[in-house]
Amino acid sequence: MNYWLMKSEPTTYGIDNLFKLPSRTDHWEGVRNYQARNFMRDNMKLHDQAFFYHSNCEIPGIVGIMEIVRESHPDLTALDLNSQYYDPKSTPENPRWAMVSVRFLEKFKNTISLSLLKTCSELQNMTLLKPGNRLSITPVTEKEWAFILSLKN
DNA sequence: GCCAACGTTGGC
DNA sequence: GCCAACGTTGGC
């Protein structure tokens, strides 16, 4: 099983949006970065788990856990003229953008903040913390995953 | 709101 | 294929 970290801006789509759905399941739509797409398309497998990360907000950090419940399939918002994620270069024959489906597993009582993560020597090689990293989807090692879970309270 | 870092676009 | 211009991300 692989582990991941997936960013979203809570003003656009936060963990509560996912939690409130009856199925607690949704598509991770709108990724428009090739490296992030490739992680979803090529490496994310059924039952992988992912941290839900809130970015560009008051306390950036990890707020909970999701499970991958459907592997890569075309992101049709790229074909939707009315979508903010519309991409004229995507076509039904060649959809270009992909997404996975995720299911809510857990919301942490407290956000595990980016500023806390940065202080942990155990995480000094974590992709999220690499200088200049802006990728919205990054891999998490099993050790990093377990360590971060130990920070929960 | 600022701005550094990075990605993408498109002329040449 | 180079690279300048531009757009986006996201912490602060």
Side-chain angles (χ1 to χ4, degrees):
Chain A
M1 177 156 86
N2 296 313
Y3 299 99
W4 305 95
L5 181 142
M6 301 170 83
K7 295 181 186 174
S8 186
E9 301 192 11
T11 51
T12 304
Y13 192 97
I15 194 166
D16 291 334
N17 296 85
L18 181 62
F19 178 76
K20 281 176 191 161
L21 298 173
S23 62
R24 294 183 175 176
T25 300
D26 208 351
H27 307 296
W28 200 262
E29 64 187 37
V31 170
R32 295 292 179 269
N33 170 283
Y34 291 107
Q35 219 181 327
R37 178 203 66 181
N38 293 349
F39 278 136
M40 283 198 291
R41 189 189 61 187
D42 305 332
N43 303 109
M44 271 192 190
K45 300 300 175 193
L46 200 62
H47 307 312
D48 281 1
Q49 293 190 12
F51 287 131
F52 198 128
Y53 179 95
H54 280 177
S55 65
N56 209 355
C57 56
E58 194 176 353
I59 305 177
I62 298 169
V63 293
I65 301 176
M66 307 177 277
E67 177 188 4
I68 308 305
V69 292
R70 185 179 168 194
E71 292 181 8
S72 176
H73 49 290
D75 182 347
L76 299 180
T77 62
L79 304 175
D80 179 358
L81 272 168
N82 297 315
S83 170
Q84 60 171 316
Y85 302 123
Y86 175 70
D87 177 4
K89 290 172 186 155
S90 193
T91 64
E93 298 74 30
N94 195 352
R96 178 179 287 236
W97 300 111
M99 62 188 179
V100 296
S101 301
V102 296
R103 184 165 59 88
F104 174 95
L105 286 187
E106 179 183 351
K107 180 181 177 180
F108 300 155
K109 222 175 297 170
N110 300 297
T111 299
I112 301 176
S113 68
L114 176 63
S115 60
L116 172 62
L117 297 175
K118 281 178 169 173
T119 66
C120 301
S121 60
E122 293 86 346
L123 302 176
Q124 56 185 339
N125 293 319
M126 192 177 178
T127 307
L128 173 74
L129 305 180
K130 295 262 167 72
N133 170 63
R134 297 183 314 171
L135 265 187
S136 65
I137 296 178
T138 51
V140 176
T141 68
E142 196 169 353
K143 278 185 179 173
E144 289 162 351
W145 182 270
F147 177 77
I148 289 168
L149 287 182
S150 77
L151 300 174
K152 275 199 301 176
N153 61 9

